[in-house]
């Protein structure tokens, strides 16, 4: 009998593994990996099923709704999806996005990049609309995610994984959180409008934790608003 069961919800190959070495091979170096160890297989299976259930709830809008302030506590709803991958197990098309806010100028902005078969597209932009500026860096993150999807659609891509560090990026896109501001309403409506054109996955990563893609997106976002 195995001493522990390692459940990989998001990794190179989601599933249950019987050793740390096997689990590590599936998550090491994978952006936004989600995994946990359990004493029983039943607990490990419940963890995997809970992840799939949360993603389904988010897509149908039945998850707990939050407001634009982003101060409502929610569980981990990272999508446990198996997407088209390259030889290293990473998505073939993915983007990292982040936002920043310059308190001195009232400017919010975003930074990030989109990786696809043809190369890497840098994403940057800024704005100062008062209602959105009240959301500070979150406003930039919303615009960054929208910019990544817009670029993917422009390039004719059919699948994209968006890595983000603020839960609203996924929750507003799927409709799981209420949209009270013009910017979040426009974001949700845009994502809904392209659902037939592109398959989207959202994966949460922990910000400022050494995740290379997130750190690069953070730097680009700060540069966009003059915070460097």
């Amino acid at each position: 009998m195995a001493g522990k069961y390692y459940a990989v919800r998001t990794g190179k190959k989601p599933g249950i593994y019987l050793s740390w070495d096997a689990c590590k091979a599936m998550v090491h170096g994978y952006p936004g990996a989600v995994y946990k160890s359990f004493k029983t297989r039943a607990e490990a299976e419940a963890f995997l099923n809970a992840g799939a259930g949360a993603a389904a709830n988010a897509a149908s809008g039945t998850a707990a709704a939050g407001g634009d302030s982003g101060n409502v506590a929610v569980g981990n709803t990272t999508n446990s999806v198996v997407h088209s991958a390259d030889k290293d197990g990473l998505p073939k098309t993915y983007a990292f996005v982040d936002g920043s806010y310059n308190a001195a100028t009232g400017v919010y902005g975003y930074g990030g990049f989109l990786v696809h078969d043809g190369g890497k597209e840098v994403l940057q932009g800024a704005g100062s609309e008062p209602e959105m500026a009240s959301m500070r860096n979150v406003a930039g993150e919303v615009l960054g995610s929208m910019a990544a999807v817009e670029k993917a659609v422009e390039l004719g891509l059919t699948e994209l994984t968006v890595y983000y560090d603020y839960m609203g990026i996924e929750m507003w896109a799927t409709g799981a959180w209420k949209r009270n501001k013009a910017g979040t309403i426009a974001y949700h409506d845009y994502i809904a409008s392209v659902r037939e054109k592109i398959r989207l996955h959202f994966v949460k990563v922990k910000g400022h934790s050494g995740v290379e893609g997130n750190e690069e997106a953070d730097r680009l976002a700060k540069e966009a608003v003059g915070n460097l």
Side-chain angles (χ1 to χ4, degrees):
M1 180 179 296
K4 282 187 178 181
Y5 295 86
Y6 298 86
V8 177
R9 182 184 290 173
T10 304
K12 296 177 182 178
K13 185 177 180 181
I16 297 175
Y17 297 87
L18 302 183
S19 72
W20 165 241
D21 286 342
C23 173
K24 183 178 179 181
M26 296 299 108
V27 301
H28 185 65
Y30 190 95
V34 178
Y35 56 97
K36 191 174 181 180
S37 65
F38 298 91
K39 292 182 179 180
T40 68
R41 176 176 284 274
E43 290 175 319
E45 290 176 346
F47 175 75
L48 293 181
N49 292 334
N57 284 343
S60 63
T62 57
D68 287 355
S69 62
N71 59 0
V72 177
V74 296
N76 187 336
T77 59
T78 298
N79 287 349
S80 61
V81 294
V82 178
H83 24 120
S84 300
D86 63 17
K87 61 183 177 60
D88 296 318
L90 296 175
K92 288 183 178 179
T93 57
Y94 65 92
F96 273 88
V97 298
D98 205 358
S100 187
Y101 178 72
N102 188 323
T105 62
V107 172
Y108 53 86
Y110 65 86
F113 58 91
L114 167 66
V115 173
H116 58 95
D117 292 337
K120 179 178 180 180
E121 313 287 336
V122 173
L123 307 168
Q124 278 185 306
S128 57
E129 193 279 321
E131 185 183 38
M132 286 295 284
S134 69
M135 298 173 66
R136 300 174 71 86
N137 63 297
V138 173
E141 298 201 31
V142 168
L143 292 182
S145 180
M146 187 183 296
V149 177
E150 287 178 336
K151 176 58 71 173
V153 171
E154 177 188 319
L155 292 170
L157 305 179
T158 59
E159 188 171 23
L160 177 69
T161 298
V162 179
Y163 291 96
Y164 64 91
D165 63 16
Y166 178 70
M167 188 63 74
I169 298 308
E170 178 176 353
M171 297 293 100
W172 287 318
T174 62
W177 279 9
K178 294 179 181 178
R179 285 81 60 202
N180 300 325
K181 296 185 183 297
T184 54
I185 292 171
Y187 173 54
H188 168 78
D189 290 348
Y190 173 73
I191 296 299
S193 75
V194 298
R195 287 290 186 183
E196 298 301 315
K197 299 179 181 179
I198 187 168
R199 185 182 181 193
L200 297 173
H201 311 295
F202 293 91
V203 178
K204 187 179 187 307
V205 299
K206 186 177 180 180
H208 310 291
S209 61
V211 176
E212 184 176 349
N214 179 256
E215 296 293 342
E216 181 176 349
D218 177 65
R219 179 184 61 77
L220 289 168
K222 289 177 178 176
E223 181 179 271
V225 299
N227 271 341
L228 287 181

